[in-house]
Amino acid sequence: MKSWISFLLPDDEYKEKKMLYFYAEGAIILFLSLIVMMICNNFFNLEAETVLLAAIAIFLFYVTGRYMIAGIEYTDIATKHAYKKELRNISVRTIGFVVIFFALYLIFVNIPSSLHKWGELLGLLISVSTVCFLSSYISLNRSYKKNKKLL
């Protein structure tokens, strides 16, 4: 019988087991970070929103980082041709995200009126797309190296 949390887990049994380890490790680090923040609260005045945001960020960054570095996302990438094809797909997805985000921003928010607002929008787009591309690239690179060793 599946748990209510099974929607967060992949169907692949190996990936599922690794993800459970990552979530458990993240939970332990989250618990320890909350204890540290409780102790630090005696010396610094930490607001509840800051503590909660930091705790959520610690958990998410840890689990995401472990998943990327583990090299388990791209299980079928073992040849140079497949690697280059997937790298192209990642680039197209990133560019597609930038174009769609930019278009939706202009439609639903508004066209920036000043050069400063254009700079903020472009800075946000460049930052988010760079993080998106790099995280996928690192995961692809690790998966490729791991799969190549297995062959």
Side-chain angles (χ1 to χ4, degrees):
M1 183 166 175
K2 289 216 173 206
S3 169
W4 62 271
I5 198 132
S6 61
F7 72 92
L8 291 173
L9 299 172
D11 292 331
D12 183 345
E13 191 175 323
Y14 176 74
K15 283 185 184 180
E16 178 182 4
K17 188 175 181 181
K18 290 296 253 183
M19 287 302 295
L20 286 172
Y21 283 127
F22 301 158
Y23 287 135
E25 291 168 358
I28 291 169
I29 290 173
L30 172 64
F31 178 72
L32 294 174
S33 68
L34 288 173
I35 290 174
V36 167
M37 285 186 224
M38 265 182 20
I39 293 169
C40 288
N41 198 31
N42 291 332
F43 305 106
F44 311 106
N45 188 15
L46 300 174
E47 293 184 23
E49 294 86 11
T50 305
V51 171
L52 290 173
L53 184 62
I56 291 169
I58 288 168
F59 180 78
L60 289 178
F61 283 132
Y62 180 81
V63 172
T64 304
R66 285 283 284 145
Y67 183 75
M68 281 181 354
I69 293 172
I72 60 174
E73 185 172 0
Y74 300 97
T75 55
D76 56 338
I77 306 297
T79 64
K80 192 72 171 169
H81 176 71
Y83 175 81
K84 287 182 179 183
K85 184 178 178 182
E86 192 59 38
L87 187 58
R88 215 173 311 117
N89 288 341
I90 290 170
S91 300
V92 168
R93 278 196 316 257
T94 303
I95 292 168
F97 166 78
V98 168
V99 169
I100 291 170
F101 182 89
F102 190 71
L104 290 175
Y105 184 89
L106 294 178
I107 291 170
F108 291 111
V109 177
N110 63 4
I111 296 173
S113 57
S114 67
L115 191 58
H116 177 71
K117 294 286 184 186
W118 277 104
E120 287 179 358
L121 175 60
L122 292 177
L124 174 68
L125 269 174
I126 291 169
S127 301
V128 171
S129 61
T130 301
V131 169
C132 178
F133 177 79
L134 285 177
S135 64
S136 295
Y137 175 75
I138 291 169
S139 183
L140 174 65
N141 206 19
R142 295 289 228 167
S143 296
Y144 174 63
K145 287 179 182 178
K146 186 175 181 180
N147 294 338
K148 218 164 90 169
K149 277 184 184 177
L150 293 174
L151 289 180

